[in-house]
Amino acid sequence: MNGREGQHAVVIADDEPLARERLRQLLVRHAGWCVAAECRTGPEAVDAILAHRPAVVFLDIRMPGLDGLEVAEAIAGHDGEPGAGPAIVFVTAYDEFALRAFDVSAADYLLKPIDRERFDRTITRLEARLRSGQAPDRGADVGAVFGALRSELPPLRRFLVRTSRGYHFVGVTDVEWVEAEGNYAALHAGGRVHLVRHTMKGLEARLDGATFARVHRSAIVNVACVTRAEPMGHGEYRLHLRSGARVETSRGYSEKVLGMLKG
């Protein structure tokens, strides 16, 4: 994940030209780094990260297409290991209260307008991490930020998935139901199953509650895809979905299931 010989490659992703310019100007003062790509939107950022495999990504929180946290989630695990891939430095204009979300995780962040001394400290920390070979668990870092900023972030709109033909997006409305698969979540959409690195708790927090309901510790369903609910006794149901799939609910989620059925 290096740029030119002896340099670490960087991707800068921010929809504001002045913000990208500021990061570029600050970075050029550090000889060990080079900019591999600059991006204006979330999807552009995902493409650039997968194409250039940078050491570090400076990632704006609010961008068109996919926000910065969605980009971070989208690329998580696509190098095969939970800690693989680039280090991520979030760039944000959030206020002091929201910044606590970053402080409670190990995630690096820069506050706009970007201060030179803070930037330099971040670079020093990144260089030490790269020298040591330390690979932070980005999934845990992003999850901690998501948990704290949940009420301020819009619901997920799409997922980046990998197929034999490469990467593409799956819209959340195309997902019929989601099933836990270890450290992954299996998206059942259009007759296919796609694995993405999400926890069920994290997905439940990011999916629109008016569209999706968690009905089991290991299952979330798209409410619009439920055609029939078969009572199984003791507050449990077997949900019949449009595709013919059947999803068992559990007693612990009976109130949510009943609310979904009444709605």
Side-chain angles (χ1 to χ4, degrees):
M1 292 192 292
N2 289 329
R4 293 186 291 271
E5 186 176 354
Q7 291 185 310
H8 299 297
V10 171
V11 167
I12 296 173
D14 197 307
D15 63 334
E16 300 176 9
L18 290 178
R20 295 197 303 274
E21 181 181 358
R22 175 63 172 165
L23 284 166
R24 190 169 60 250
Q25 290 174 343
L26 291 170
L27 192 66
V28 76
R29 298 163 48 252
H30 297 269
W33 301 82
C34 67
V35 177
E38 295 186 20
C39 314
R40 298 177 298 105
T41 70
E44 285 181 8
V46 170
D47 289 342
I49 292 165
L50 295 177
H52 295 283
R53 298 173 61 84
V56 176
V57 180
F58 289 94
L59 192 57
D60 186 25
I61 291 294
R62 294 195 180 279
M63 289 187 296
L66 292 171
D67 64 45
L69 292 173
E70 288 174 322
V71 171
E73 282 197 321
I75 64 172
H78 280 290
D79 288 299
E81 297 294 337
I88 293 174
V89 179
F90 292 109
V91 182
T92 178
Y94 276 115
D95 61 21
E96 183 177 353
F97 174 78
L99 287 176
R100 295 177 190 172
F102 296 93
D103 288 332
V104 300
S105 78
D108 286 312
Y109 71 89
L110 293 170
L111 180 63
K112 294 180 180 180
I114 299 171
D115 176 77
R116 187 174 71 177
E117 291 185 2
R118 171 80 189 223
F119 181 89
D120 290 345
R121 288 197 301 271
T122 298
I123 290 294
T124 298
R125 187 163 54 248
L126 290 168
E127 288 174 339
R129 186 181 298 166
L130 289 168
R131 283 196 301 271
S132 69
Q134 177 186 1
D137 188 346
R138 290 174 313 173
D141 294 347
V142 174
V145 175
F146 265 137
L149 293 183
R150 183 168 53 223
S151 62
E152 301 189 32
L153 293 169
L156 279 172
R157 292 158 290 183
R158 52 185 179 174
F159 297 93
L160 180 75
V161 301
R162 178 162 49 185
T163 68
S164 58
R165 297 181 179 180
Y167 294 91
H168 71 274
F169 290 102
V170 173
V172 293
T173 55
D174 295 323
V175 175
E176 186 175 53
W177 69 290
V178 184
E179 180 181 17
E181 288 282 354
N183 292 326
Y184 291 82
L187 310 178
H188 295 259
R192 303 186 68 178
V193 180
H194 307 285
L195 289 179
V196 294
R197 185 171 285 278
H198 284 272
T199 65
M200 297 300 282
K201 182 177 180 180
L203 273 181
E204 184 182 15
R206 289 302 315 276
L207 290 170
D208 187 348
T211 304
F212 289 88
R214 190 167 185 182
V215 299
H216 190 280
R217 183 171 57 88
S218 302
I220 296 173
V221 299
N222 185 332
V223 176
C225 295
V226 178
T227 60
R228 183 164 67 94
E230 178 184 354
M232 303 299 292
H234 307 290
E236 298 177 350
Y237 294 83
R238 177 177 293 131
L239 302 179
H240 295 252
L241 308 185
R242 286 177 183 169
S243 66
R246 299 177 182 182
V247 178
E248 306 287 338
T249 74
S250 64
R251 190 185 312 175
Y253 292 89
S254 60
E255 289 188 12
K256 288 188 177 182
V257 174
L258 288 174
M260 175 189 72
L261 295 176
K262 291 178 180 176

